[in-house]
Amino acid sequence: MTDTVRVGLLGCGNVGAAVARMLHDHAEDIALRIGLRLEVTRIAVRDLARDRDVPVPAGAFTDDPAQVVDDHAVDVVAELIGGLEPARTLVMAAFDAGKPVVTANKELLATHGAELFEAAHRCDVDLLYEASVGGGIPLIRPLLESLAGERIVRVMGIVNGTTNYILTRMTEDGSSLAEALAEAQALGYAEADPTADIEGFDAAAKAAILASIAFDAPVVVGDVYREGISAVSAEDISNARRLGYVVKLLAIAESVDGAVSVRVHPAMIPSDHPLAAVRMSFNAVLIEGERVGELMLTGRGAGGDPTATSVVGDLIEAARNLRHGGRSAGAARARERRVLPIEEMAGQHCFLLRVDDRPGVLAAIATAFAEHRVSIKSVWQDGAGLEAHLVLVTHRADERSLRACAERLRGLDVVREVASVIRVEAGEP
Ligand SMILES: NC(=O)c1ccc[n+]([C@@H]2O[C@H](COP(=O)([O-])OP(=O)(O)OC[C@H]3O[C@@H](n4cnc5c(N)ncnc54)[C@H](OP(=O)(O)O)[C@@H]3O)[C@@H](O)[C@H]2O)c1
C-alpha cells in the first residue's frame, strides 16, 4: 500500500482550488513517480458557504485556519491565503508543529523572509516557495539548486504579467495606459485596484526574493528601488520604437563590486533583446552567470493552474523529504551585502523635453548636460511651435548627475517641460 502524505490547504481561491484539483487529477502519476500519495485532508477558507468545485469532501473545510495547521491529519501545509497576516502567524505555527510549509506568498517572503527561514531552520522543516516568483515558471529551484555552484552576476526579468500586458497593448496598438488597463481589468489580468501591479510593488517583492537567492543576501522589499509604469505615455513608447527599443517594466538584481543593486522600473531595451519578445501577460527572467552565460526562463507568471504546478512540485519535494529525510536548499542567507541606493548607480537615460521653437535652444540644453558631465549619445527634434520637442539619449552617467541635470533642465526658460526620463538597459539596439 502506498504511503500517504496529508496536505492542509490554507486558502482555496485561484491557486488553492487549482492545487486541490491537480493533486486529485494527477494522484496516480504522482504516486508512480515518488511512491507517495498526496491527499488534501483539510482546507481553510473565509466563506464556508461558497461553492468551491474541488474534489474534496465538504467536511474537510473550516473557516479557522489554525485548525488546519494544528490538525494531526495534516503533514504538510500550503499557505495560499496571501498577505502578511494571518499568513505569517500560521506559517510560524506550522513550523512549531514540525510541519513543512509551501507558500506562493511573495509579499510574506519579501517582508519576513529572514525570520521565516530562520524558524524553518530551527524547527528543521522545509519552507518552499517556487510559486512566489514567476507563477508556473521554475525559477527558484534552478537558482538554488542547478546553479548552486555558479556565481550569478545579474538577474533581469519581466515578473509582472499585468504591466507586461498593458505595455504590450500600448506598444502594438498605440493604446493609452488607461485604455490598456481597462482592457486588462475586463480580461481578469488586473485587479479592480491595480496599484500593486501598476506601481511596481508586486514586482519589487519578487525582485527582493530573486536578489536574496541569487546573491545569498537578506534583501527585503524595502531595499528595492521602485518606479511603476503609471508615468509611461504612448508618446514614450512611440519614441522608444523610433530609436529601436521597446519599453518593459524590469526587475533587476545585480552584483556590483560586492554590493547588490535591486530595482524595479520601466526601461527601454533593444527591440531584438530576448526580453523584448516576451509579450502580453507572459513573464521571463534572464539569469546571467559568470561561467554559464545567459539563461532565459519564460512562461506563464500567474493564473491558478500554472501557479498550482509550482505549488504541487514543492509539495512533492516536501513530502519526499518528510518521508525519506533531508531538507531542501532555500534557507541560505549567509552574506550581509550592502544594497546600493539608486543614487549610487549609473546608467543610460532617455529624456523627452518639450521646448521652445527658437534659435539657441539646443545649445542651452547641451550646455546643461555638459555642466553635469552627462554626455549625449543621440538627439532628435520634432514638431514646431508649441509642439516642438527633443528626444535625447545619454551615454552612461551616474544617477546623481542625471537627476541634477534633469533639475537644471526644468529651470531653463527654453524648456517648457521635462516630460519623461526613462532608463535605457541592456545595451544598444
Ligand atoms: N493568482 C495567481 O495567479 C497567483 C500567482 C502567483 C502567486 N500567487 C499567490 O498565491 C496566493 C493566493 O493567491 P490567490 O490568487 O489564490 O488568492 P485568492 O483567490 O484571493 O484566494 C485566497 C484564499 O484564501 C482564503 N482566505 C483569505 N483570508 C483567509 C483567512 N483569514 N482565513 C481563511 N482563509 C482565508 C480565501 O477564502 P475565501 O475564498 O472564502 O475568500 C481564498 O480561498 C497569494 O499569496 C498570491 O500572491 C497567486
Side-chain angles (χ1 to χ4, degrees), residues 11-15 45-47 50 52 80-82 104 106 302-303 307:
C12 192
N14 292 314
V15 181
V45 293
R46 253 180 321 212
D47 179 3
R50 193 182 302 167
R52 303 285 165 177
L80 304 167
I81 286 179
K106 66 225 130 198
T307 306

Side-chain angles (χ1 to χ4, degrees), residues 10-17 43-48 50 52 62-65 79-83 85-86 90 103-107 131-136 191 202 206 301-304 307 311:
L10 302 176
C12 192
N14 292 314
V15 181
I43 303 184
V45 293
R46 253 180 321 212
D47 179 3
L48 281 172
R50 193 182 302 167
R52 303 285 165 177
T62 171
D63 59 3
D64 178 5
E79 185 282 300
L80 304 167
I81 286 179
E85 286 295 350
L90 292 164
T103 181
N105 192 336
K106 66 225 130 198
E107 203 187 342
S132 64
V133 186
E191 306 277 335
D202 172 87
K206 292 165 176 171
T307 306
V311 174

Side-chain angles (χ1 to χ4, degrees), residues 4-33:
T4 298
V5 172
R6 299 159 304 175
V7 177
L9 296 183
L10 302 176
C12 192
N14 292 314
V15 181
V19 168
R21 284 192 283 269
M22 189 172 172
L23 284 175
H24 175 269
D25 297 349
H26 296 186
E28 297 306 323
D29 305 277
I30 293 170
L32 202 67
R33 271 182 208 143

Side-chain angles (χ1 to χ4, degrees), residues 1 43 53 118 159 171 176 179 247 290 296 324 341 346 361 367 379 394 401:
M1 175 116 161
I43 303 184
D53 189 26
E118 196 277 319
V159 293
T171 303
S176 68
E179 288 162 347
V247 178
E290 241 177 47
M296 192 159 100
H324 306 308
V361 170
T367 304
V379 56
T394 71
S401 303

Side-chain angles (χ1 to χ4, degrees), residues 182-195:
E183 199 182 305
Q185 283 170 323
L187 289 167
Y189 291 146
E191 306 277 335
D193 176 1
T195 313

